[in-house]
Amino acid sequence: MCEANAYIDHEGKEELFMESVDIIKPEAENRLLIMNIFGDQKILHGKIKKISLLNHKILLEKIK
Amino acid sequence: MCEANAYIDHEGKEELFMESVDIIKPEAENRLLIMNIFGDQKILHGKIKKISLLNHKILLEKIK
């Protein structure tokens, strides 16, 4: 399976935001819809920093 | 392998931008660095519309 884990970068420290992510959909300026393979959804007020598919890793940045 | 193909959405018509993508890295406002598993890089003046990891599909939007 090719899902990835999403982490929020806090000044270099990575905090798990969601496991087994399937969908990433920017919905508006600095607003991301993220859905896992089970259909659970989360909204992040933030943006994508980097996605590495081979590493199964999505790095996000929260915007205050 | 968990790479994906990246397409640009042209009013509903999808045009292949890059195959076997590994890395997606927003570098600045509306500027994406996209790298494939062979290390080739492309820059798109645009943004991410939707990523579906299970479908191995990255949908991008070009900004004029």
Side-chain angles (χ1 to χ4, degrees):
Chain A
M1 295 285 273
C2 285
E3 67 271 19
N5 290 339
Y7 300 87
I8 295 177
D9 180 79
H10 285 291
E11 295 164 356
K13 213 179 140 209
E14 296 171 2
E15 177 195 299
L16 185 64
F17 179 71
M18 188 179 245
E19 283 184 305
S20 304
V21 171
D22 173 17
I23 308 274
I24 307 153
K25 191 170 186 306
E27 292 209 307
E29 182 85 3
N30 296 330
R31 187 181 149 94
L32 299 172
L33 170 68
I34 297 176
M35 196 185 303
N36 67 15
I37 58 171
F38 310 107
D40 300 324
Q41 296 186 13
K42 282 175 105 171
I43 298 284
L44 178 73
H45 186 66
K47 54 188 182 178
I48 296 165
K49 278 195 82 165
K50 185 179 178 182
I51 297 173
S52 174
L53 298 177
L54 298 191
N55 289 335
H56 300 261
K57 185 169 177 179
I58 300 160
L59 197 58
L60 306 168
E61 184 180 359
K62 200 182 253 182
I63 305 218
K64 281 152 198 160
Chain B
M1 295 286 274
C2 285
E3 67 272 18
N5 290 339
Y7 300 86
I8 294 178
D9 180 79
H10 286 291
E11 296 165 354
K13 213 178 141 210
E14 296 171 4
E15 177 196 299
L16 185 65
F17 179 72
M18 189 180 244
E19 282 184 305
S20 304
V21 170
D22 173 17
I23 307 275
I24 307 153
K25 191 171 186 306
E27 292 208 309
E29 182 84 5
N30 296 330
R31 187 182 149 92
L32 300 172
L33 170 68
I34 298 176
M35 196 186 303
N36 68 15
I37 58 171
F38 311 107
D40 300 324
Q41 295 185 13
K42 282 174 106 173
I43 297 285
L44 178 74
H45 186 66
K47 54 188 182 178
I48 297 164
K49 277 194 82 165
K50 185 179 178 182
I51 297 173
S52 175
L53 299 177
L54 297 192
N55 288 335
H56 301 262
K57 185 168 178 180
I58 300 160
L59 197 58
L60 305 168
E61 184 180 2
K62 198 181 253 181
I63 306 221
K64 282 152 197 157

